[in-house]
Amino acid sequence: MNSFDEVFEKVKNYCLENGKIPEIGIKTWIDPLVPVSFNGSDAIFSVPTDFQKNIVLRTYDNVLKDAFFNVLGLNVNIVINVESEEQEKIKVPTDAELEQKHAELEQSYKFANYDYTFDTFIEGRSNEFALACSKSVAKNCGSKAVPDYNPLFIYGPSGMGKTHLITAIANEVRKNHPNFNIVYVTSETFGSDLVSALNKSSISDFHDKYRNADILLIDDIQFFSGRERMQEEFFHTFYKLHQEGKQIVITSDKPPKELLTLEERLRTRFEGGLIADISAPDYETRLAIINRKSELLELKMPSEVAEFMANRLKSNIRQLEGAVVRLKALNHFAGSPITISMAQSVIRDVLTDEQPIPITVEKIISEVSTVYGVSPDDLRSSKRSAQISTARKVAIYVVREITQMPLASIGTEFGGRDHSTIVYSVTSVTESMEKDSNLKNLVNDIIKNIKDKSKV
């Protein structure tokens, strides 16, 4: 090996052949490194931008050092210079300059968050029916709702645009009927209002708020599952508004027939209206969303980069928009044109950020205690009433199912209970679920709700 170039080729081959860096990583980040010099201890390279330098040093520094050692038998430092540094020394920014940079970045996001209206909703094959139904409901919402469209039930996975549509309906109705009493809440807000009213003995105020609405919009109604008092109150609210011809709009992550732990009388009434689904956006819709978000951010998005992102981010709209925002930030700080390499880094960050938030025992106990109408302290206590005992067993089962913690550790979380008690609880719930389909559905809904709440 007579030159640094030859050594570097050997290093790259070693990384590729031994699976240290995948082929796409070699092509994207390692091939662009330009060998400058090697003095036996420092391998010096140059790249066009700080962005490339930071990515390589952050991600591949140790891998490259290991590769040089295996090729040459020497410990080598990886030194990367930005091409502009060869002409002038880097100026380290002051704290004031950094603050100004951040202020500039925040200003660039000024128009990034748009109102949830029909005009800003990107239509595609995956959502065109739900959009048409939403527009019709908003247009015809008057003294009497259209019976066939009441309630409007929109369902689909998280991040597909359900909240955008239901908010757009509210905004459109507010524009056309400024005097209307529009009540738009999530199911959790409905539940919190109910608990607060019960604690303050002010249930009449709760009824006044919800049962006098001209249009009632409830987001994420799946979280009503297993909560009997919430379902009871919502049924009577639904019945009164429906009888008076007031419009009701509901969103959920699944259709009514799959909400197995909702009361039958609620499911049948949901099914008696108009049901519209939203699925994952197709390629053309994803591309349109990326370009629309770029326009709002005043980001000059090259078509090949937009197409690259649309091909690789397929999960949901929230993921797409988050990727464009990150790309804006990188473009701002790197000070260089947007490239596919930059988009690759963004996509990796977005996918990492969308990993579920860790589910703690505390979150599980809180969810189960809410469903059964007891307190978290009750589940850890020695109280043995039938309701608390059942809730405690279910909580122990769910903790085991979700976290796979050792049984002894679960016992510690539940007031220091011994191993045999935890085994009994898990076995008891397992056997009961096999015999009781209602309990099985309830436990499965609890698990699903906890996991849904842990997502991005």
Side-chain angles (χ1 to χ4, degrees):
M1 292 181 285
N2 299 321
S3 71
F4 185 24
D5 288 317
E6 292 176 358
V7 171
F8 188 43
E9 285 301 318
K10 291 285 187 181
V11 166
K12 288 192 287 186
N13 289 335
Y14 171 84
C15 292
L16 187 59
E17 292 169 3
N18 289 276
K20 303 291 185 181
I21 304 176
E23 184 175 358
I24 189 170
I26 294 288
K27 290 181 178 178
T28 304
W29 302 112
I30 308 304
D31 281 345
L33 293 175
V34 178
V36 176
S37 64
F38 177 59
N39 59 16
S41 60
D42 293 334
I44 302 173
F45 302 89
S46 71
V47 292
T49 68
D50 278 317
F51 174 74
Q52 291 171 282
K53 171 184 174 179
N54 293 335
I55 290 292
V56 173
L57 291 179
R58 185 180 67 187
T59 310
Y60 302 113
D61 184 53
N62 290 332
V63 176
L64 291 173
K65 287 178 179 178
D66 177 68
F68 270 103
F69 181 82
N70 279 277
V71 170
L72 297 176
L74 299 172
N75 290 317
V76 173
N77 295 317
I78 307 301
V79 178
I80 302 177
N81 296 323
V82 178
E83 289 176 357
S84 59
E85 296 176 13
E86 297 174 4
Q87 282 76 41
E88 56 179 338
K89 186 178 180 180
I90 298 177
K91 179 182 181 293
V92 179
T94 65
D95 289 342
E97 288 171 331
L98 286 175
E99 287 182 10
Q100 183 180 355
K101 277 285 188 183
H102 283 289
E104 291 173 1
L105 182 60
E106 289 180 5
Q107 182 65 20
S108 73
Y109 292 165
K110 184 175 181 180
F111 303 104
N113 296 319
Y114 47 79
D115 291 333
Y116 282 165
T117 66
F118 292 130
D119 289 338
T120 59
F121 189 84
I122 303 298
E123 181 178 1
R125 285 176 293 180
S126 60
N127 59 36
E128 57 188 358
F129 180 64
L131 176 60
C133 295
S134 300
K135 285 183 174 180
S136 180
V137 162
K139 178 181 178 182
N140 294 300
C141 186
S143 58
K144 291 285 184 179
V146 180
D148 291 343
Y149 284 33
N150 197 24
L152 171 60
F153 191 102
I154 305 171
Y155 75 92
S158 176
M160 296 301 171
K162 301 188 300 295
T163 297
H164 189 143
L165 279 182
I166 196 172
T167 309
I169 293 172
N171 287 333
E172 188 71 13
V173 172
R174 184 175 293 109
K175 182 175 69 175
N176 297 330
H177 304 280
N179 296 323
F180 266 29
N181 180 17
I182 301 170
V183 179
Y184 169 34
V185 295
T186 65
S187 61
E188 289 185 317
T189 300
F190 183 93
S192 296
D193 286 349
L194 175 59
V195 170
S196 177
L198 292 172
N199 289 337
K200 297 177 181 178
S201 299
S202 58
I203 195 67
S204 60
D205 292 339
F206 175 85
H207 291 161
D208 287 342
K209 173 180 177 179
Y210 286 97
R211 299 184 186 182
N212 292 319
D214 291 303
I215 176 170
L216 175 63
L217 307 102
I218 303 280
D219 210 358
D220 288 329
I221 204 164
Q222 69 271 12
F223 293 123
F224 277 12
S225 294
R227 293 167 167 83
E228 293 181 5
R229 183 58 192 269
M230 285 171 61
Q231 292 185 43
E232 177 74 15
E233 286 294 338
F234 183 71
F235 172 78
H236 292 296
T237 298
F238 181 101
Y239 181 79
K240 180 178 184 295
L241 294 177
H242 196 270
Q243 287 294 103
E244 294 175 354
K246 302 298 178 64
Q247 182 67 52
I248 302 164
V249 183
I250 298 164
T251 72
S252 171
D253 66 345
K254 50 192 172 185
K257 65 180 180 180
E258 293 182 16
L259 296 170
L260 300 180
T261 54
L262 279 187
E263 294 181 6
E264 178 68 17
R265 58 181 178 173
L266 279 177
R267 291 205 307 272
T268 56
R269 280 164 174 78
F270 294 164
E271 290 172 342
L274 182 63
I275 300 175
D277 72 307
I278 300 181
S279 56
D282 55 24
Y283 170 79
E284 289 79 10
T285 307
R286 296 196 300 271
L287 187 60
I289 291 167
I290 291 170
N291 287 329
R292 179 59 174 268
K293 191 71 174 181
S294 300
E295 290 173 5
L296 291 166
L297 284 166
E298 297 181 353
L299 180 65
K300 294 181 179 178
M301 176 76 74
S303 58
E304 65 272 14
V305 175
E307 291 165 4
F308 172 84
M309 294 172 68
N311 268 315
R312 283 158 179 78
L313 294 173
K314 303 177 182 180
S315 295
N316 58 56
I317 295 170
R318 193 176 299 125
Q319 186 187 72
L320 290 166
E321 295 190 335
V324 178
V325 170
R326 278 175 166 80
L327 198 56
K328 170 70 175 182
L330 286 177
N331 172 251
H332 181 86
F333 286 115
S336 58
I338 294 173
T339 64
I340 288 180
S341 296
M342 202 180 286
Q344 286 175 320
S345 176
V346 162
I347 288 172
R348 182 193 62 210
D349 289 343
V350 169
L351 294 177
T352 299
D353 283 356
E354 292 221 343
Q355 295 301 313
I357 300 168
I359 299 173
T360 63
V361 173
E362 191 63 41
K363 290 179 182 177
I364 295 172
I365 289 177
S366 176
E367 180 75 14
V368 174
S369 64
T370 300
V371 170
Y372 279 90
V374 298
S375 74
D377 289 341
D378 287 336
L379 299 188
R380 294 187 170 96
S381 73
S382 58
K383 296 178 182 178
R384 295 185 178 181
S385 71
Q387 187 172 10
I388 292 174
S389 180
T390 299
R392 184 184 296 124
K393 289 176 185 177
V394 169
I396 289 170
Y397 174 88
V398 173
V399 169
R400 176 66 172 174
E401 186 71 17
I402 290 179
T403 70
Q404 294 298 303
M405 287 172 61
L407 297 178
S409 299
I410 296 176
T412 300
E413 294 285 349
F414 283 84
R417 285 175 164 77
D418 60 29
H419 178 275
S420 61
T421 301
I422 302 304
V423 171
Y424 170 75
S425 296
V426 172
T427 303
S428 175
V429 173
T430 302
E431 292 175 351
S432 297
M433 288 170 61
E434 291 175 354
K435 300 174 184 177
D436 185 348
S437 60
N438 289 330
L439 175 63
K440 182 178 180 180
N441 290 334
L442 176 60
V443 172
N444 287 338
D445 264 357
I446 289 172
I447 292 172
K448 184 179 186 306
N449 287 346
I450 291 170
K451 289 182 176 179
D452 284 347
K453 290 179 181 179
S454 75
K455 294 178 180 177
V456 161

